[in-house]
Amino acid sequence: MSLTTSLRSLSVRIADGVAEVELIGPSKGNAMGPDFWRELPEVFDALSADESVRSVLLYGSGGNFSYGLDLPAMAPVFAPLLSADGMDARRREGFRRSIRDLQESVNSLARCAKPVISAVDGWCIGGAIDVIAATDIRIASPAAKFSVREVKVAIVADLGSLQRLPGIIGEGPTRHLALTGEDFDAGRAHRLGLVTELADDVVGRGRELAALVAANPPLVVQGVKQVMNHGREASVQSGLDYVQVWNSAFLASRDFNEAATAFAERRPAVFTGN
């Protein structure tokens, strides 16, 4: 594919061994719709194979990293489970495969041979946490805000945060954030180790780090990433496979319907455990 044409959710620029990948929407707050999930693995698989690229910088446009999953745009993924025959085994298997495909989009950052640096400004919510957790270095601006928010919309996070965050911030903090769904600021993200630096000009600092990585011996840099990923990613994949089956069985619920309705009506959801 050409990385300079036909992209709607991402913009790619390559210079001096560094590829910059910018989230550009088209949804508000760079929310992640069908274009994003289709283009992300195309871009990162291409960058992985491009010998001129030695490191990658990922960041969002418009003052935010991403609002996370674009629920209205992704409604067709969930619709089969919410229909009258949502208990149909074939529909549930199709939904499991849809989860797997979204997981593979996120996995493309982890399997990219080149180190990926994510620079977070503004909001980084839900699926955006899954994305940055799959990158190698994470930095943020003091204005960045984060949330593992899936629990608020009656979803078990299924794209990697529950599998990768324990290795980054520890199991206790991961459970805390995933069970409460609460927002947290950049200072807390830094103290937890989710991000390793805070920088006022976070994209500028990201460019500095990407250049530092790109100046090192490329095969050694790639080796560091591969060796560190070797043990972790097998465990991550096991967890991803498990949550595919869990959500295929349990996501179709009255609580999920209530979450979707409350979101559309801009009101707090009232969950009943059904």
Short mmCIF file of all heavy atoms in Angstrom, two decimals, residues 9-10 21 23 32-48 56 58 65 69 74 77 96-113 116 127-135 158-161 164 225 233 236-237 240-241 244:
data_model
loop_
_atom_site.label_atom_id
_atom_site.label_comp_id
_atom_site.label_asym_id
_atom_site.label_seq_id
_atom_site.Cartn_x
_atom_site.Cartn_y
_atom_site.Cartn_z
N SER A 9 -8.05 7.86 8.52
CA SER A 9 -7.96 8.04 9.96
C SER A 9 -6.54 8.31 10.44
O SER A 9 -6.35 8.72 11.58
CB SER A 9 -8.49 6.80 10.68
OG SER A 9 -7.62 5.69 10.49
N LEU A 10 -5.57 8.09 9.58
CA LEU A 10 -4.17 8.23 9.95
C LEU A 10 -3.42 9.02 8.89
O LEU A 10 -3.75 8.94 7.70
CB LEU A 10 -3.50 6.86 10.10
CG LEU A 10 -4.09 5.90 11.13
CD1 LEU A 10 -3.48 4.51 10.98
CD2 LEU A 10 -3.89 6.42 12.54
N VAL A 21 3.16 8.85 12.75
CA VAL A 21 1.80 8.42 12.47
C VAL A 21 0.87 9.25 13.34
O VAL A 21 0.93 9.19 14.57
CB VAL A 21 1.61 6.92 12.76
CG1 VAL A 21 0.17 6.50 12.45
CG2 VAL A 21 2.59 6.08 11.96
N LEU A 23 -3.04 10.40 14.36
CA LEU A 23 -4.46 10.10 14.33
C LEU A 23 -5.20 11.37 13.91
O LEU A 23 -5.06 12.42 14.56
CB LEU A 23 -4.96 9.63 15.69
CG LEU A 23 -4.62 8.20 16.13
CD1 LEU A 23 -3.13 8.01 16.36
CD2 LEU A 23 -5.39 7.84 17.41
N MET A 32 -12.16 5.98 17.41
CA MET A 32 -11.67 4.88 16.58
C MET A 32 -12.83 4.14 15.93
O MET A 32 -13.48 3.29 16.55
CB MET A 32 -10.83 3.94 17.44
CG MET A 32 -9.62 4.63 18.04
SD MET A 32 -8.84 3.65 19.35
CE MET A 32 -7.34 4.60 19.62
N GLY A 33 -13.07 4.46 14.65
CA GLY A 33 -14.11 3.82 13.88
C GLY A 33 -13.56 2.80 12.91
O GLY A 33 -12.38 2.42 12.97
N PRO A 34 -14.38 2.33 11.98
CA PRO A 34 -13.94 1.28 11.04
C PRO A 34 -12.69 1.62 10.26
O PRO A 34 -11.85 0.75 10.03
CB PRO A 34 -15.16 1.12 10.12
CG PRO A 34 -16.33 1.54 10.96
CD PRO A 34 -15.82 2.65 11.82
N ASP A 35 -12.55 2.89 9.83
CA ASP A 35 -11.35 3.28 9.07
C ASP A 35 -10.10 3.06 9.91
O ASP A 35 -9.09 2.53 9.42
CB ASP A 35 -11.43 4.75 8.65
CG ASP A 35 -12.50 4.99 7.60
OD1 ASP A 35 -12.68 4.14 6.72
OD2 ASP A 35 -13.16 6.05 7.67
N PHE A 36 -10.15 3.47 11.18
CA PHE A 36 -8.98 3.33 12.05
C PHE A 36 -8.58 1.87 12.20
O PHE A 36 -7.41 1.51 12.05
CB PHE A 36 -9.28 3.93 13.42
CG PHE A 36 -8.19 3.70 14.43
CD1 PHE A 36 -7.08 4.53 14.48
CD2 PHE A 36 -8.25 2.63 15.32
CE1 PHE A 36 -6.06 4.31 15.40
CE2 PHE A 36 -7.25 2.41 16.25
CZ PHE A 36 -6.16 3.25 16.28
N TRP A 37 -9.54 1.01 12.50
CA TRP A 37 -9.22 -0.40 12.75
C TRP A 37 -8.73 -1.10 11.50
O TRP A 37 -7.92 -2.03 11.60
CB TRP A 37 -10.44 -1.10 13.34
CG TRP A 37 -10.85 -0.53 14.65
CD1 TRP A 37 -11.97 0.19 14.93
CD2 TRP A 37 -10.10 -0.57 15.88
NE1 TRP A 37 -11.98 0.59 16.24
CE2 TRP A 37 -10.84 0.14 16.85
CE3 TRP A 37 -8.88 -1.13 16.25
CZ2 TRP A 37 -10.41 0.30 18.15
CZ3 TRP A 37 -8.44 -0.98 17.56
CH2 TRP A 37 -9.20 -0.28 18.50
N ARG A 38 -9.17 -0.66 10.34
CA ARG A 38 -8.69 -1.25 9.09
C ARG A 38 -7.29 -0.73 8.75
O ARG A 38 -6.42 -1.50 8.31
CB ARG A 38 -9.66 -0.92 7.95
CG ARG A 38 -9.26 -1.52 6.60
CD ARG A 38 -10.21 -1.13 5.50
NE ARG A 38 -10.20 0.30 5.22
CZ ARG A 38 -11.14 1.15 5.61
NH1 ARG A 38 -12.17 0.73 6.31
NH2 ARG A 38 -11.05 2.44 5.32
N GLU A 39 -7.07 0.57 8.95
CA GLU A 39 -5.83 1.18 8.50
C GLU A 39 -4.65 0.94 9.45
O GLU A 39 -3.50 0.88 9.01
CB GLU A 39 -6.04 2.69 8.31
CG GLU A 39 -6.99 3.01 7.16
CD GLU A 39 -7.37 4.47 7.10
OE1 GLU A 39 -6.88 5.26 7.96
OE2 GLU A 39 -8.15 4.83 6.21
N LEU A 40 -4.93 0.80 10.76
CA LEU A 40 -3.83 0.67 11.72
C LEU A 40 -2.89 -0.49 11.38
O LEU A 40 -1.67 -0.28 11.29
CB LEU A 40 -4.39 0.52 13.13
CG LEU A 40 -3.36 0.64 14.26
CD1 LEU A 40 -2.84 2.07 14.38
CD2 LEU A 40 -3.99 0.20 15.60
N PRO A 41 -3.39 -1.71 11.16
CA PRO A 41 -2.44 -2.79 10.83
C PRO A 41 -1.81 -2.63 9.46
O PRO A 41 -0.66 -3.05 9.26
CB PRO A 41 -3.31 -4.06 10.92
CG PRO A 41 -4.70 -3.59 10.71
CD PRO A 41 -4.77 -2.22 11.30
N GLU A 42 -2.53 -2.04 8.51
CA GLU A 42 -1.94 -1.80 7.19
C GLU A 42 -0.72 -0.90 7.33
O GLU A 42 0.34 -1.16 6.75
CB GLU A 42 -2.97 -1.17 6.26
CG GLU A 42 -4.13 -2.09 5.87
CD GLU A 42 -5.14 -1.37 5.00
OE1 GLU A 42 -5.00 -0.14 4.79
OE2 GLU A 42 -6.09 -2.04 4.54
N VAL A 43 -0.87 0.17 8.11
CA VAL A 43 0.22 1.13 8.27
C VAL A 43 1.38 0.51 9.02
O VAL A 43 2.54 0.59 8.58
CB VAL A 43 -0.30 2.39 8.99
CG1 VAL A 43 0.86 3.25 9.50
CG2 VAL A 43 -1.19 3.21 8.07
N PHE A 44 1.10 -0.13 10.16
CA PHE A 44 2.21 -0.61 10.98
C PHE A 44 2.89 -1.84 10.39
O PHE A 44 4.10 -2.02 10.57
CB PHE A 44 1.75 -0.84 12.42
CG PHE A 44 1.79 0.43 13.21
CD1 PHE A 44 0.71 1.29 13.23
CD2 PHE A 44 2.95 0.81 13.86
CE1 PHE A 44 0.76 2.49 13.93
CE2 PHE A 44 3.02 2.02 14.56
CZ PHE A 44 1.93 2.85 14.59
N ASP A 45 2.16 -2.67 9.66
CA ASP A 45 2.82 -3.78 8.97
C ASP A 45 3.73 -3.25 7.87
O ASP A 45 4.83 -3.77 7.63
CB ASP A 45 1.79 -4.75 8.40
CG ASP A 45 1.12 -5.59 9.48
OD1 ASP A 45 1.59 -5.59 10.63
OD2 ASP A 45 0.09 -6.24 9.17
N ALA A 46 3.28 -2.18 7.18
CA ALA A 46 4.11 -1.59 6.13
C ALA A 46 5.35 -0.93 6.72
O ALA A 46 6.46 -1.07 6.18
CB ALA A 46 3.29 -0.58 5.33
N LEU A 47 5.20 -0.22 7.83
CA LEU A 47 6.35 0.41 8.47
C LEU A 47 7.32 -0.64 9.00
O LEU A 47 8.54 -0.45 8.96
CB LEU A 47 5.89 1.32 9.61
CG LEU A 47 5.08 2.55 9.20
CD1 LEU A 47 4.61 3.32 10.43
CD2 LEU A 47 5.86 3.46 8.26
N SER A 48 6.79 -1.75 9.49
CA SER A 48 7.65 -2.82 9.98
C SER A 48 8.55 -3.36 8.88
O SER A 48 9.72 -3.69 9.12
CB SER A 48 6.79 -3.95 10.55
OG SER A 48 7.58 -4.96 11.12
N VAL A 56 9.14 4.75 15.23
CA VAL A 56 7.83 5.29 14.87
C VAL A 56 7.32 6.14 16.04
O VAL A 56 7.40 5.73 17.20
CB VAL A 56 6.81 4.16 14.58
CG1 VAL A 56 5.48 4.75 14.12
CG2 VAL A 56 7.36 3.18 13.55
N LEU A 58 3.79 7.94 17.39
CA LEU A 58 2.34 7.92 17.25
C LEU A 58 1.73 8.98 18.15
O LEU A 58 2.01 9.04 19.35
CB LEU A 58 1.82 6.53 17.65
CG LEU A 58 0.30 6.30 17.63
CD1 LEU A 58 -0.23 6.35 16.19
CD2 LEU A 58 -0.04 4.97 18.28
N PHE A 65 -5.39 12.57 22.11
CA PHE A 65 -4.90 11.34 21.49
C PHE A 65 -6.08 10.63 20.86
O PHE A 65 -6.18 10.54 19.64
CB PHE A 65 -4.20 10.46 22.53
CG PHE A 65 -3.53 9.26 21.91
CD1 PHE A 65 -2.30 9.39 21.30
CD2 PHE A 65 -4.13 8.01 21.91
CE1 PHE A 65 -1.67 8.29 20.69
CE2 PHE A 65 -3.52 6.92 21.33
CZ PHE A 65 -2.29 7.05 20.72
N LEU A 69 -13.03 3.94 21.36
CA LEU A 69 -13.90 3.31 20.38
C LEU A 69 -15.05 4.25 20.00
O LEU A 69 -15.73 4.81 20.87
CB LEU A 69 -14.47 2.01 20.96
CG LEU A 69 -15.21 1.09 19.98
CD1 LEU A 69 -14.23 0.43 19.02
CD2 LEU A 69 -15.98 0.02 20.76
N MET A 74 -19.19 1.97 15.19
CA MET A 74 -18.93 0.54 15.31
C MET A 74 -20.18 -0.26 15.66
O MET A 74 -20.11 -1.47 15.91
CB MET A 74 -17.86 0.31 16.39
CG MET A 74 -16.51 0.93 16.07
SD MET A 74 -15.75 0.27 14.57
CE MET A 74 -15.32 -1.39 15.12
N VAL A 77 -20.88 -3.84 14.42
CA VAL A 77 -20.16 -4.96 15.04
C VAL A 77 -20.99 -5.57 16.16
O VAL A 77 -21.04 -6.79 16.35
CB VAL A 77 -18.80 -4.50 15.58
CG1 VAL A 77 -18.11 -5.62 16.36
CG2 VAL A 77 -17.91 -4.04 14.43
N ARG A 96 -17.11 -13.07 17.85
CA ARG A 96 -15.79 -13.43 18.36
C ARG A 96 -14.71 -13.10 17.35
O ARG A 96 -13.65 -12.56 17.69
CB ARG A 96 -15.74 -14.91 18.73
CG ARG A 96 -14.42 -15.31 19.42
CD ARG A 96 -14.21 -16.81 19.43
NE ARG A 96 -14.03 -17.32 18.08
CZ ARG A 96 -12.89 -17.25 17.39
NH1 ARG A 96 -11.82 -16.64 17.91
NH2 ARG A 96 -12.81 -17.74 16.17
N ARG A 97 -14.98 -13.40 16.08
CA ARG A 97 -13.99 -13.10 15.04
C ARG A 97 -13.80 -11.59 14.88
O ARG A 97 -12.69 -11.13 14.59
CB ARG A 97 -14.40 -13.75 13.71
CG ARG A 97 -14.31 -15.27 13.72
CD ARG A 97 -14.35 -15.82 12.30
NE ARG A 97 -15.59 -15.47 11.62
CZ ARG A 97 -16.67 -16.23 11.60
NH1 ARG A 97 -16.68 -17.39 12.24
NH2 ARG A 97 -17.75 -15.84 10.95
N SER A 98 -14.87 -10.83 15.08
CA SER A 98 -14.74 -9.37 15.00
C SER A 98 -13.84 -8.85 16.12
O SER A 98 -13.02 -7.96 15.89
CB SER A 98 -16.12 -8.71 15.10
OG SER A 98 -16.93 -9.04 13.98
N ILE A 99 -14.00 -9.40 17.33
CA ILE A 99 -13.12 -9.01 18.43
C ILE A 99 -11.68 -9.37 18.07
O ILE A 99 -10.75 -8.57 18.27
CB ILE A 99 -13.53 -9.71 19.73
CG1 ILE A 99 -14.91 -9.26 20.18
CG2 ILE A 99 -12.50 -9.42 20.84
CD1 ILE A 99 -15.44 -10.02 21.37
N ARG A 100 -11.48 -10.58 17.55
CA ARG A 100 -10.13 -11.01 17.18
C ARG A 100 -9.52 -10.06 16.17
O ARG A 100 -8.33 -9.70 16.27
CB ARG A 100 -10.18 -12.42 16.58
CG ARG A 100 -8.84 -12.98 16.13
CD ARG A 100 -9.03 -14.12 15.15
NE ARG A 100 -9.72 -13.65 13.95
CZ ARG A 100 -10.33 -14.46 13.08
NH1 ARG A 100 -10.35 -15.76 13.28
NH2 ARG A 100 -10.93 -13.95 12.02
N ASP A 101 -10.29 -9.61 15.19
CA ASP A 101 -9.77 -8.70 14.17
C ASP A 101 -9.34 -7.36 14.79
O ASP A 101 -8.30 -6.79 14.42
CB ASP A 101 -10.81 -8.47 13.07
CG ASP A 101 -11.06 -9.71 12.24
OD1 ASP A 101 -10.25 -10.65 12.29
OD2 ASP A 101 -12.10 -9.74 11.54
N LEU A 102 -10.15 -6.84 15.73
CA LEU A 102 -9.78 -5.59 16.40
C LEU A 102 -8.53 -5.80 17.24
O LEU A 102 -7.65 -4.93 17.30
CB LEU A 102 -10.94 -5.10 17.27
CG LEU A 102 -12.23 -4.72 16.54
CD1 LEU A 102 -13.28 -4.24 17.54
CD2 LEU A 102 -12.01 -3.66 15.48
N GLN A 103 -8.44 -6.94 17.91
CA GLN A 103 -7.23 -7.25 18.67
C GLN A 103 -6.00 -7.28 17.78
O GLN A 103 -4.93 -6.77 18.15
CB GLN A 103 -7.39 -8.60 19.37
CG GLN A 103 -8.40 -8.62 20.51
CD GLN A 103 -8.60 -10.02 21.06
OE1 GLN A 103 -8.19 -11.01 20.45
NE2 GLN A 103 -9.23 -10.12 22.22
N GLU A 104 -6.15 -7.86 16.60
CA GLU A 104 -5.01 -7.94 15.69
C GLU A 104 -4.59 -6.55 15.21
O GLU A 104 -3.41 -6.32 14.95
CB GLU A 104 -5.35 -8.84 14.50
CG GLU A 104 -5.22 -10.32 14.81
CD GLU A 104 -3.82 -10.67 15.26
OE1 GLU A 104 -2.87 -10.51 14.47
OE2 GLU A 104 -3.64 -11.05 16.44
N SER A 105 -5.54 -5.63 15.11
CA SER A 105 -5.18 -4.26 14.76
C SER A 105 -4.26 -3.67 15.82
O SER A 105 -3.22 -3.06 15.51
CB SER A 105 -6.44 -3.40 14.62
OG SER A 105 -7.20 -3.78 13.50
N VAL A 106 -4.61 -3.85 17.09
CA VAL A 106 -3.77 -3.35 18.18
C VAL A 106 -2.44 -4.10 18.22
O VAL A 106 -1.37 -3.51 18.42
CB VAL A 106 -4.51 -3.47 19.52
CG1 VAL A 106 -3.59 -3.06 20.68
CG2 VAL A 106 -5.76 -2.60 19.52
N ASN A 107 -2.50 -5.41 18.01
CA ASN A 107 -1.29 -6.22 18.04
C ASN A 107 -0.26 -5.77 17.00
O ASN A 107 0.93 -6.04 17.15
CB ASN A 107 -1.61 -7.69 17.80
CG ASN A 107 -2.30 -8.35 18.99
OD1 ASN A 107 -2.35 -7.80 20.08
ND2 ASN A 107 -2.86 -9.53 18.77
N SER A 108 -0.72 -5.10 15.95
CA SER A 108 0.21 -4.67 14.90
C SER A 108 1.27 -3.72 15.44
O SER A 108 2.39 -3.66 14.91
CB SER A 108 -0.54 -4.03 13.73
OG SER A 108 -1.12 -2.79 14.10
N LEU A 109 0.96 -2.98 16.50
CA LEU A 109 1.96 -2.09 17.10
C LEU A 109 3.00 -2.89 17.85
O LEU A 109 4.20 -2.59 17.80
CB LEU A 109 1.30 -1.09 18.05
CG LEU A 109 0.57 0.08 17.40
CD1 LEU A 109 -0.81 -0.33 16.90
CD2 LEU A 109 0.45 1.25 18.36
N ALA A 110 2.55 -3.93 18.56
CA ALA A 110 3.49 -4.76 19.31
C ALA A 110 4.38 -5.58 18.39
O ALA A 110 5.56 -5.76 18.66
CB ALA A 110 2.73 -5.67 20.27
N ARG A 111 3.80 -6.09 17.28
CA ARG A 111 4.60 -6.94 16.39
C ARG A 111 5.43 -6.13 15.39
O ARG A 111 6.31 -6.69 14.72
CB ARG A 111 3.71 -7.92 15.64
CG ARG A 111 2.80 -7.33 14.59
CD ARG A 111 2.12 -8.40 13.76
NE ARG A 111 1.16 -7.82 12.82
CZ ARG A 111 -0.16 -7.80 12.99
NH1 ARG A 111 -0.68 -8.35 14.08
NH2 ARG A 111 -0.94 -7.23 12.11
N CYS A 112 5.19 -4.82 15.29
CA CYS A 112 6.01 -3.97 14.42
C CYS A 112 7.47 -4.12 14.84
O CYS A 112 7.82 -3.99 16.02
CB CYS A 112 5.57 -2.51 14.54
SG CYS A 112 6.53 -1.36 13.52
N ALA A 113 8.34 -4.42 13.88
CA ALA A 113 9.75 -4.63 14.20
C ALA A 113 10.40 -3.37 14.77
O ALA A 113 11.38 -3.45 15.51
CB ALA A 113 10.50 -5.09 12.95
N VAL A 116 7.90 1.70 18.81
CA VAL A 116 6.84 2.68 18.64
C VAL A 116 6.74 3.52 19.91
O VAL A 116 6.62 2.98 21.02
CB VAL A 116 5.49 2.00 18.35
CG1 VAL A 116 4.40 3.07 18.11
CG2 VAL A 116 5.59 1.06 17.16
N GLY A 127 -10.29 2.21 24.26
CA GLY A 127 -9.48 1.57 23.22
C GLY A 127 -8.16 2.27 22.97
O GLY A 127 -7.20 1.64 22.52
N ALA A 128 -8.09 3.57 23.27
CA ALA A 128 -6.83 4.29 23.12
C ALA A 128 -5.80 3.81 24.14
O ALA A 128 -4.60 3.80 23.87
CB ALA A 128 -7.06 5.79 23.26
N ILE A 129 -6.26 3.40 25.33
CA ILE A 129 -5.36 2.80 26.32
C ILE A 129 -4.81 1.49 25.79
O ILE A 129 -3.61 1.18 25.93
CB ILE A 129 -6.07 2.59 27.66
CG1 ILE A 129 -6.53 3.92 28.26
CG2 ILE A 129 -5.17 1.82 28.63
CD1 ILE A 129 -5.47 4.72 28.95
N ASP A 130 -5.68 0.67 25.16
CA ASP A 130 -5.22 -0.57 24.54
C ASP A 130 -4.09 -0.29 23.55
O ASP A 130 -3.10 -1.02 23.49
CB ASP A 130 -6.37 -1.26 23.80
CG ASP A 130 -7.49 -1.71 24.71
OD1 ASP A 130 -7.25 -2.58 25.56
OD2 ASP A 130 -8.61 -1.21 24.55
N VAL A 131 -4.27 0.77 22.76
CA VAL A 131 -3.29 1.10 21.73
C VAL A 131 -1.95 1.52 22.35
O VAL A 131 -0.90 1.01 21.98
CB VAL A 131 -3.84 2.19 20.79
CG1 VAL A 131 -2.73 2.79 19.92
CG2 VAL A 131 -4.96 1.62 19.91
N ILE A 132 -1.98 2.45 23.30
CA ILE A 132 -0.69 2.91 23.84
C ILE A 132 -0.01 1.82 24.66
O ILE A 132 1.22 1.77 24.74
CB ILE A 132 -0.82 4.21 24.66
CG1 ILE A 132 -1.60 4.01 25.95
CG2 ILE A 132 -1.43 5.33 23.80
CD1 ILE A 132 -1.47 5.18 26.92
N ALA A 133 -0.81 0.91 25.25
CA ALA A 133 -0.20 -0.19 26.01
C ALA A 133 0.59 -1.12 25.11
O ALA A 133 1.49 -1.82 25.59
CB ALA A 133 -1.27 -0.97 26.76
N ALA A 134 0.27 -1.14 23.81
CA ALA A 134 1.00 -1.98 22.86
C ALA A 134 2.22 -1.30 22.29
O ALA A 134 2.95 -1.90 21.50
CB ALA A 134 0.06 -2.40 21.72
N THR A 135 2.46 -0.03 22.67
CA THR A 135 3.65 0.68 22.19
C THR A 135 4.81 0.46 23.16
O THR A 135 4.64 -0.04 24.28
CB THR A 135 3.37 2.17 22.00
OG1 THR A 135 3.07 2.79 23.25
CG2 THR A 135 2.19 2.38 21.05
N ASP A 158 -11.37 -5.67 25.94
CA ASP A 158 -10.98 -6.91 25.24
C ASP A 158 -9.93 -6.72 24.16
O ASP A 158 -9.69 -7.63 23.36
CB ASP A 158 -12.20 -7.60 24.64
CG ASP A 158 -13.03 -6.71 23.71
OD1 ASP A 158 -12.56 -5.61 23.37
OD2 ASP A 158 -14.15 -7.11 23.35
N LEU A 159 -9.25 -5.56 24.13
CA LEU A 159 -8.28 -5.33 23.07
C LEU A 159 -6.84 -5.23 23.57
O LEU A 159 -5.96 -4.84 22.82
CB LEU A 159 -8.65 -4.06 22.28
CG LEU A 159 -10.05 -4.06 21.65
CD1 LEU A 159 -10.25 -2.80 20.82
CD2 LEU A 159 -10.27 -5.31 20.80
N GLY A 160 -6.61 -5.61 24.84
CA GLY A 160 -5.22 -5.71 25.27
C GLY A 160 -4.86 -5.01 26.56
O GLY A 160 -3.83 -5.33 27.16
N SER A 161 -5.67 -4.06 27.02
CA SER A 161 -5.25 -3.33 28.22
C SER A 161 -5.21 -4.24 29.45
O SER A 161 -4.30 -4.13 30.27
CB SER A 161 -6.18 -2.13 28.48
OG SER A 161 -7.51 -2.53 28.65
N ARG A 164 -1.91 -6.26 28.93
CA ARG A 164 -0.61 -5.58 28.88
C ARG A 164 -0.36 -4.65 30.06
O ARG A 164 0.77 -4.49 30.49
CB ARG A 164 -0.48 -4.81 27.56
CG ARG A 164 -0.37 -5.72 26.34
CD ARG A 164 -0.04 -4.95 25.08
NE ARG A 164 0.26 -5.86 23.97
CZ ARG A 164 -0.61 -6.21 23.01
NH1 ARG A 164 -1.84 -5.69 23.03
NH2 ARG A 164 -0.28 -7.05 22.06
N LYS A 225 13.54 -5.01 21.32
CA LYS A 225 12.09 -5.12 21.32
C LYS A 225 11.65 -6.58 21.23
O LYS A 225 10.76 -7.02 21.97
CB LYS A 225 11.49 -4.31 20.16
CG LYS A 225 9.98 -4.47 20.04
CD LYS A 225 9.35 -3.45 19.10
CE LYS A 225 7.84 -3.62 19.08
NZ LYS A 225 7.15 -2.55 18.33
N GLU A 233 4.34 -11.53 25.06
CA GLU A 233 3.27 -11.58 24.07
C GLU A 233 2.55 -12.92 24.03
O GLU A 233 1.38 -12.98 23.69
CB GLU A 233 3.81 -11.21 22.68
CG GLU A 233 4.17 -9.73 22.54
CD GLU A 233 2.99 -8.80 22.84
OE1 GLU A 233 1.91 -9.00 22.25
OE2 GLU A 233 3.16 -7.89 23.67
N VAL A 236 0.05 -12.50 26.70
CA VAL A 236 -0.95 -11.55 26.22
C VAL A 236 -1.94 -12.23 25.28
O VAL A 236 -3.16 -12.08 25.41
CB VAL A 236 -0.27 -10.36 25.52
CG1 VAL A 236 -1.28 -9.53 24.72
CG2 VAL A 236 0.44 -9.48 26.54
N GLN A 237 -1.43 -13.02 24.33
CA GLN A 237 -2.31 -13.66 23.36
C GLN A 237 -3.27 -14.64 24.02
O GLN A 237 -4.43 -14.74 23.65
CB GLN A 237 -1.49 -14.38 22.28
CG GLN A 237 -2.33 -14.87 21.10
CD GLN A 237 -3.09 -13.74 20.43
OE1 GLN A 237 -2.48 -12.74 20.01
NE2 GLN A 237 -4.40 -13.86 20.31
N LEU A 240 -5.99 -12.58 25.41
CA LEU A 240 -6.84 -12.05 24.35
C LEU A 240 -7.79 -13.12 23.84
O LEU A 240 -8.98 -12.85 23.59
CB LEU A 240 -5.97 -11.51 23.21
CG LEU A 240 -5.16 -10.25 23.51
CD1 LEU A 240 -4.24 -9.92 22.35
CD2 LEU A 240 -6.06 -9.06 23.83
N ASP A 241 -7.30 -14.34 23.66
CA ASP A 241 -8.15 -15.43 23.20
C ASP A 241 -9.27 -15.69 24.21
O ASP A 241 -10.43 -15.92 23.83
CB ASP A 241 -7.33 -16.71 23.02
CG ASP A 241 -6.35 -16.62 21.86
OD1 ASP A 241 -6.49 -15.72 21.01
OD2 ASP A 241 -5.42 -17.44 21.81
N GLN A 244 -12.01 -12.97 24.11
CA GLN A 244 -12.87 -13.13 22.92
C GLN A 244 -14.08 -13.98 23.27
O GLN A 244 -15.24 -13.63 22.95
CB GLN A 244 -12.12 -13.81 21.79
CG GLN A 244 -11.04 -13.02 21.09
CD GLN A 244 -10.29 -13.87 20.09
OE1 GLN A 244 -10.81 -14.86 19.58
NE2 GLN A 244 -9.05 -13.51 19.81
#
